[in-house]
Amino acid sequence: MHYHPPLKDISFVLFELFNAAQTLNRYPEFEEIDQDLMSQVIEEAGRFASEILFPTNAVGDREGCRFENGHVKTPTGFKQAYRQFQEAGWPALACDPAYGGQGLPHTLNTVLYEMLTGTNHAWSMFPGLLHGAYSSLYHYANDELKDVYLPKIVSGEWLATMCLTEPQAGSDLGLIRTKATPADNGHYILEGNKIFISGGEHDLTENIVHLVLARLPDAPPGSKGISLFLVPKFLPENGVPKVRNAVHCTGIEHKMGIHGSATCSIQFDQATGWLVGEPNKGLAAMFKMMNAARLLVGINGVGVSETVYQNALAYAKERIQMRAATRPENRHSEPADPIVMHPAIQRMLMSQKAYAEGGRMLAYYSALLLDGAEHHPDEQIKAHFESELALLTPIIKAMLTDQGFEAAGQAIQIFGGHGYIQETGIEQYLRDIKIAQIYEGTNEIQAIDLIMRKILADNGQRLFNLLDQIQETINTTTQPAFVNSVAALTQVCQHLRALIPAISDASRQSPDLPYQIAPEMLRLVGHAAMGWLWLKAATIADEQKEKDPAFYGSKIDTAQYYFDFILPETRQLIQVIDQYLIHSQQGHSTNYLDSLM
Ligand SMILES: Cc1cc2nc3c(=O)[nH]c(=O)nc-3n(C[C@H](O)[C@H](O)[C@H](O)COP(=O)(O)OP(=O)(O)OC[C@H]3O[C@@H](n4cnc5c(N)ncnc54)[C@H](O)[C@@H]3O)c2cc1C
């Protein structure tokens, strides 16, 4: 296995497609940003990921985390890699300089995490949660808490967790039972059990900051009665961890993948904690953390797609099996050809490439929206960015992780039997990436979030704004080579515009309907957004192709492949949605509970 940081494509997306340096540089906080600075950071990130982190990936999978006497030992090399990561200042990258951060854009952090998750998914989860904790505390904690905890989190001296899940409360956080009782000196006493807590215990840092969802004694039932608390492993005095708090790891899970990530059961046994934000408004504060985390989970899908594509391609060029239908002259005397010459293999590779590069465009576009939503000086534009980001977040999380899983499966297929056995190392990626479809809100929950909260709640307005932007690009695409791509994308957008009122009407009679078609809608909107960015990318590549025919030519080919052979998936998606609409209009039940009972 190997990993080459895809610096050329990253630069293309950031600087040619999105003009990222100039865009960011307009925000007062990013005055110092220019392309050189961004490129330097990205190259360094690529070096860390490929030279330091990547070598720990397979060993992390083999050894896994170990649980001994209440302590968790991470696999060989994890501690050293974390120390180097911390010393290089990577945890502080996108954090506020007021707390020791480097004040760089989220966009750069997104690029960093693409490479970290592509080289060691399990390890990347330890620092990955730090950013969500940072943004929750930064936006909701009082100054006292911020002054004590943020500098330690920003420097990476202390890592953080996100403690939501309990045995009876997974997707439904309204079922949480962990209790928080006010104590007389302003803090709270927490009691309860959490499960599946990533990084709940480990040997990477001297302290761990748990962000915990719990209920106050007089809390209303359900999700309206949940508050957020900060519970450190050690209670600090003057910035030094001193007294051991009553929060303990009672075990770690043995699981399908990400063996190097400690998935912990955590017991709060009258632990001391502090309220973050307002009582009973914990979910809002936690959502701040979860949205940042969801973008990072989506980029995980891109990171893995890139790594498995790189390795599948290299293997396909080397592995010789059977004669290809079309063979170059110089191979006529050879008994067999590299499998990359077989159309079936080419199709899998092109699909991996189109989604890895398409996912990268979508994820970086969203990261730029996040930076704009936080830093644009105009409040109206800020609100517009925030709204578009809210629409795209469930798509990034679900579609890109689905594609990561698909790409890892295709890579094993390309490796054949050699991919299924452990020796080559490719099967680890499939086992590891599966969890990304489940945690941070399962992909089914993401699809429901998209249709119910992001589309139907405002009668499709947010989506129509996105479709208007897509239409603008369509209107300005004049290259004859892209006529068919433009037509295909136009059709998807037209269908979407017509579907929203139809779904909205039908859901009044059939409350199940929007939930039934949620997965199709997520992919459909996802393809509209991805197709939009592919069209922009193809146009730029077409303008620049003389400069670097190999790179831009391949970009145009990949765009064409996406439009000709991937985007047609939308026809089937639309057909399925139409079937549900027809059933609903005709009063036919599409609830299959009876057949399943
Ligand atoms: C390795 C690992 C790491 C994790 N890390 C953390 C962590 O750091 N912190 C943390 O708090 N949690 C963590 N989790 C928990 C994770 O977020 C949950 O597993 C996830 O939210 C799903 O909850 P559940 O497992 O209880 O599944 P359930 O909620 O029981 O869901 C089961 C199935 O039903 C579906 N489903 C449920 N409700 C609906 C609905 N309304 N409509 C359609 N489908 C529905 C789901 O999509 C899923 O397919 C982790 C889990 C694992 C395995």
Side-chain angles (χ1 to χ4, degrees):
M1 294 289 293
H2 68 269
Y3 178 77
H4 299 302
L7 299 180
K8 201 163 182 176
D9 198 55
I10 290 173
S11 294
F12 170 78
V13 175
L14 285 180
F15 305 126
E16 295 186 66
L17 182 61
F18 296 137
N19 227 349
Q22 282 89 335
T23 304
L24 292 164
N25 173 274
R26 284 190 211 116
Y27 309 149
E29 290 87 346
F30 298 142
E31 268 173 358
E32 317 271 290
I33 293 279
D34 60 23
Q35 188 167 327
D36 281 350
L37 175 70
M38 290 183 78
S39 300
Q40 269 172 27
V41 173
I42 293 164
E43 275 169 39
E44 273 309 312
R47 231 186 313 269
F48 176 83
S50 56
E51 293 173 16
I52 312 285
L53 196 55
F54 187 60
T56 65
N57 188 46
V59 70
D61 183 53
R62 268 198 314 276
E63 286 183 13
C65 285
R66 276 182 289 141
F67 182 66
E68 290 163 4
N69 305 321
H71 300 287
V72 170
K73 200 170 173 332
T74 54
T76 305
F78 272 39
K79 238 169 137 168
Q80 289 84 335
Y82 185 72
R83 197 172 314 126
Q84 284 176 266
F85 183 75
Q86 196 207 331
E87 282 169 5
W90 291 115
L93 194 73
C95 301
D96 187 342
Y99 295 101
Q102 297 191 37
L104 289 169
H106 288 291
T107 305
L108 279 176
N109 205 48
T110 305
V111 178
L112 168 69
Y113 272 85
E114 179 198 319
M115 296 197 254
L116 299 182
T117 54
T119 46
N120 190 334
H121 175 164
W123 181 95
S124 74
M125 286 172 64
F126 288 106
L129 285 160
L130 176 154
H131 290 280
Y134 165 83
S135 71
S136 270
L137 293 176
Y138 186 78
H139 289 98
Y140 290 95
N142 62 31
D143 287 343
E144 223 174 305
L145 282 180
K146 281 189 193 177
D147 290 344
V148 174
Y149 289 93
L150 281 184
K152 295 291 184 184
I153 289 176
V154 168
S155 67
E157 280 169 85
W158 300 351
L159 280 170
T161 71
M162 191 161 126
C163 295
L164 288 69
T165 308
E166 298 179 10
Q168 78 296 342
S171 302
D172 190 351
L173 295 173
L175 301 176
I176 277 173
R177 287 190 198 138
T178 297
K179 275 195 224 141
T181 316
D184 35 11
N185 50 1
H187 68 252
Y188 291 78
I189 302 297
L190 278 94
E191 275 183 282
N193 292 301
K194 297 283 177 181
I195 59 165
F196 297 167
I197 304 307
S198 300
E201 177 61 35
H202 55 74
D203 55 4
L204 300 183
T205 53
E206 57 176 6
N207 205 1
I208 300 173
V209 183
H210 301 287
L211 287 192
V212 187
L213 288 184
R215 284 183 183 285
L216 290 164
D218 53 355
S223 56
K224 293 204 169 91
I226 295 175
S227 307
L228 180 64
F229 297 87
L230 180 157
V231 182
K233 177 177 166 185
F234 284 96
L235 303 169
E237 274 174 33
N238 300 323
V240 179
K242 274 274 152 73
V243 180
R244 183 71 167 90
N245 201 359
V247 43
H248 295 284
C249 174
T250 54
I252 61 172
E253 305 296 338
H254 299 277
K255 52 196 192 292
M256 175 179 177
I258 53 164
H259 294 157
S261 169
T263 309
C264 305
S265 306
I266 300 284
Q267 192 173 340
F268 297 90
D269 199 5
Q270 305 233 318
T272 302
W274 285 266
L275 182 69
V276 177
E278 289 178 46
N280 302 328
K281 299 269 172 67
L283 274 189
M286 197 48 120
F287 267 118
K288 194 91 201 167
M289 178 168 185
M290 289 190 328
N291 279 333
R294 280 173 185 173
L295 287 179
L296 288 187
V297 175
I299 196 73
N300 195 341
V302 178
V304 166
S305 298
E306 173 68 37
T307 307
V308 298
Y309 165 65
Q310 284 187 17
N311 285 276
L313 179 62
Y315 186 80
K317 287 178 182 170
E318 276 170 20
R319 177 71 175 164
I320 312 272
Q321 284 297 293
M322 300 187 69
R323 284 166 184 254
T326 308
R327 340 180 57 207
E329 287 278 307
N330 64 353
R331 294 204 60 85
H332 278 173
S333 57
E334 302 290 337
D337 295 313
I339 58 172
V340 72
M341 288 189 189
H342 300 309
I345 299 292
Q346 286 184 11
R347 287 192 55 186
M348 283 191 276
L349 288 166
M350 285 306 287
S351 162
Q352 287 179 318
K353 186 174 192 296
Y355 275 117
E357 294 177 11
R360 178 172 297 123
M361 293 191 278
L362 209 45
Y364 291 6
Y365 178 72
S366 301
L368 282 162
L369 288 177
L370 182 59
D371 281 317
E374 286 188 5
H375 298 287
H376 201 289
D378 184 322
E379 289 301 319
Q380 236 180 332
I381 300 179
K382 240 179 175 166
H384 163 77
F385 286 156
E386 207 160 295
S387 162
E388 196 174 340
L389 180 63
L391 180 77
L392 291 177
T393 298
I395 295 168
I396 303 275
K397 157 55 172 89
M399 188 169 177
L400 303 190
T401 57
D402 283 349
Q403 289 315 137
F405 184 71
E406 173 80 14
Q410 285 168 329
I412 295 177
Q413 196 67 23
I414 291 167
F415 273 73
H418 299 273
Y420 192 75
I421 61 168
Q422 279 182 355
E423 201 182 310
T424 43
I426 197 82
E427 53 83 45
Q428 181 194 342
Y429 289 84
L430 186 81
R431 288 187 286 105
D432 283 358
I433 192 65
K434 179 64 205 173
I435 188 58
Q437 296 174 293
I438 297 171
Y439 61 24
E440 292 301 342
T442 65
N443 286 0
E444 292 75 28
I445 299 294
Q446 300 300 324
I448 291 170
D449 176 46
L450 178 73
I451 183 93
M452 300 307 286
R453 293 213 202 104
K454 311 290 170 60
I455 296 182
L456 293 183
D458 70 355
N459 293 318
Q461 203 45 57
R462 248 185 253 255
L463 173 63
F464 296 148
N465 290 343
L466 176 70
L467 295 177
D468 289 345
Q469 292 183 69
I470 299 175
Q471 192 59 48
E472 263 177 52
T473 302
I474 287 174
N475 295 346
T476 51
T477 306
T478 49
Q479 284 98 326
F482 303 139
V483 168
N484 292 341
S485 309
V486 163
L489 187 59
T490 306
Q491 257 196 356
V492 173
C493 294
Q494 282 171 348
H495 269 109
L496 269 171
R497 279 190 198 276
L499 277 173
I500 304 308
I503 293 168
S504 191
D505 284 350
S507 0
R508 281 185 211 109
Q509 267 127 38
S510 319
D512 271 348
L513 182 105
Y515 297 90
Q516 287 164 329
I517 58 163
E520 279 76 17
M521 281 300 288
L522 186 136
R523 279 194 81 79
L524 198 53
V525 181
H527 274 304
M530 199 180 272
W532 174 41
L533 299 180
W534 264 122
L535 190 59
K536 281 173 177 259
T539 307
I540 293 169
D542 192 56
E543 287 158 6
Q544 303 291 326
K545 62 180 182 247
E546 307 300 324
K547 282 195 200 155
D548 183 349
F551 177 79
Y552 293 111
S554 164
K555 190 59 84 184
I556 295 168
D557 277 355
T558 312
Q560 214 78 66
Y561 186 87
Y562 173 83
F563 283 109
D564 292 347
F565 304 115
I566 293 180
L567 197 70
E569 178 198 344
T570 53
R571 290 188 210 147
Q572 194 200 343
L573 297 170
I574 291 164
Q575 218 173 353
V576 171
I577 296 170
D578 280 345
Q579 287 295 346
Y580 273 107
L581 282 169
I582 291 166
H583 279 289
S584 152
Q585 281 151 8
Q586 295 176 344
H588 294 161
S589 169
T590 42
N591 189 317
Y592 298 104
L593 198 56
D594 287 346
S595 309
L596 295 167
M597 292 311 243

